[in-house]
């Protein structure tokens, strides 16, 4: 899956252009079209640049493009916030040396972050750009127990979703979860193109999962900061949980996720049962170890 930065830019812009109809862009259809979406000339017109210049941009030469040009492209192609951020990431990373962007994914948290997680009454964990669960509280560990039951380390949500036979039973929104997972990884790859761990993960998933390869080729991107997860936990059954993600300014590339259930709902009752199960499991582990328990018996 090794591709040049110019190829990434080209494929992204071509894929976005194909998604916009003339009607959506406020243009007349203009007769029969050989390919879906806008023509290059139409994008150039909407962005206020020459066709020749847009053709150069679509061929990957965006490193020297100004912010105003990139903004104009984003408006012309009707990019959402995640797509706009991805375009800027691709342009800026393409114009600098690899050394200035060599930011590996965070693999540990500061004690203060762990204390913050442990202080939450809801499931909470910290994750990095490539989907590793870097740290959790006890209930977060319990909620994600199917992921921790896998032998691979670090525990990784993308690897679990596409490679584990248990994943289909865990994620009730199977197809949407796959799309969201790949879109988040694609966004991460744009912002940290020289993260070797991320590149290795994408390569592994591309080699072993046809579904991943197909979704990766779509070049869709998504901000993973809020939403709803519909899970089927092997201990407590179905869960409908809202989540919020908080990026940590002091720890670039790290986000804290907190999950919650509607008060009084079946999911809230299931979370209470899960908390009881987690506490019992922790007590049993303490007894087996013959030592005082840590708050995270399954911390990665």
């Amino acid at each position: 899956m090794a591709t040049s930065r110019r190829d990434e830019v080209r494929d992204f812009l071509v894929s976005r252009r194909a998604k916009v109809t003339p009607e959506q862009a406020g243009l007349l259809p203009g007769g029969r079209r050989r390919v879906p979406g806008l023509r290059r000339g139409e994008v150039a017109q909407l962005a206020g640049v020459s066709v020749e210049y847009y053709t150069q941009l679509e061929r990957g030469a965006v490193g020297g493009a100004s912010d105003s040009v990139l903004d104009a492209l984003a408006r012309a192609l009707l990019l959402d916030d995640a797509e706009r951020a991805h375009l800027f990431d691709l342009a800026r990373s393409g114009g600098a040396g690899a050394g200035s962007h060599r930011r590996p994914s965070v693999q540990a948290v500061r004690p203060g972050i762990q204390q913050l997680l442990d202080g939450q009454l809801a499931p909470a964990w910290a994750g990095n750009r490539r989907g590793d669960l870097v740290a959790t509280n006890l209930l977060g560990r319990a909620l994600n127990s199917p992921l921790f039951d896998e032998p691979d380390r670090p525990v990784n949500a993308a690897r679990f979703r596409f490679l584990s036979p248990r994943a289909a039973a865990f994620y009730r929104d199977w197809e949407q979860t796959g799309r969201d997972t790949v879109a988040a990884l694609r966004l991460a790859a744009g912002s940290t193109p020289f993260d070797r761990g991320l590149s290795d993960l994408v390569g592994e998933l591309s080699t072993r999962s046809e579904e991943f390869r197909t979704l990766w080729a779509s070049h869709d991107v998504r901000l993973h900061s809020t939403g709803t997860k519909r899970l089927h936990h092997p201990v407590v059954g179905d869960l409908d949980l809202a989540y919020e993600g908080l990026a940590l300014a002091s720890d670039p590339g790290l986000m804290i996720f907190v999950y919650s259930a509607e008060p009084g709902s079946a999911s809230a009752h299931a979370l209470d049962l899960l908390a009881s199960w987690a506490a019992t499991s922790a007590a049993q582990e303490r007894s087996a170890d013959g030592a005082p328990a840590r708050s995270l018996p399954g911390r990665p």
Side-chain angles (χ1 to χ4, degrees), residues 36-71:
L38 298 177
R39 300 184 176 105
R40 284 180 175 173
E42 292 168 333
V43 177
Q45 175 189 340
L46 291 166
V49 299
S50 69
V51 177
E52 292 77 12
Y53 183 46
Y54 175 72
T55 299
Q56 293 178 19
L57 295 175
E58 194 174 275
R59 287 175 178 169
V62 297
S66 66
D67 287 356
S68 61
V69 167
L70 296 177
D71 276 327

Side-chain angles (χ1 to χ4, degrees), residues 211-227:
E211 180 191 11
F212 181 88
R213 287 196 301 275
T214 300
L215 291 171
W216 187 254
S218 71
H219 286 267
D220 290 336
V221 292
R222 181 180 182 274
L223 295 171
H224 189 63
S225 56
T226 186

